[in-house]
Amino acid sequence: MPRPPSALIAARLSEVSSGARITVAGLVLVRQRPGTARGVVFVTLEDETGVVNVVIWRKVFERFRRAVIAGRMLRVTGRVERQAGVTHVVAEEIEDISALLDLLADPDSPLPPPGQTG
């Protein structure tokens, strides 16, 4: 059985310095592509500890389009950015890990180490 990919939990995002490269993972709650955003896509991910706001610039969206559009659970690697008290992750790589959703309900699935999902 494959292990889910390691990722920082949402509750610990505040401990990471701005500009740090991290990986987060979670269920997709919201996808937004406002007409005024010049092709930028905003995604909100949720894990068992909270939510993470993800900003996806146009070139990154084009590269990972299928995962962004179809994924129910995503793993995102990118840089932490803080502006006006809001923390978000600017995506560099996006992976659709929806196939791992079945593991969430598996009681035999190993628990992740403290402070990580997966």
Side-chain angles (χ1 to χ4, degrees):
M1 170 185 329
R3 273 190 53 73
S6 295
L8 183 72
I9 59 173
R12 301 209 43 208
L13 193 56
S14 63
E15 300 172 18
V16 179
S17 60
S18 187
R21 190 168 195 258
I22 63 162
T23 298
V24 293
L27 296 171
V28 177
L29 291 182
V30 178
R31 287 180 192 85
Q32 296 177 325
R33 192 172 186 185
T36 58
R38 299 182 192 156
V40 178
V41 175
F42 302 95
V43 173
T44 302
L45 300 179
E46 180 181 40
D47 68 16
E48 66 275 12
T49 68
V51 297
V52 177
N53 297 311
V54 179
V55 176
I56 306 168
W57 293 107
R58 181 186 306 223
K59 285 189 177 192
V60 175
F61 172 73
E62 290 169 3
R63 187 169 161 214
F64 298 102
R65 179 183 196 92
R66 173 165 279 169
V68 175
I69 291 173
R72 295 178 295 143
M73 188 163 73
L74 298 177
R75 175 182 164 188
V76 177
T77 300
R79 303 265 176 206
V80 173
E81 193 170 286
R82 290 193 176 85
Q83 292 182 350
V86 177
T87 301
H88 52 267
V89 175
V90 179
E92 296 171 353
E93 297 177 34
I94 302 166
E95 180 183 1
D96 182 355
I97 58 170
S98 301
L100 298 175
L101 281 169
D102 291 340
L103 293 178
L104 294 176
D106 183 356
D108 296 326
S109 181
L111 293 174
Q116 291 188 347
T117 59

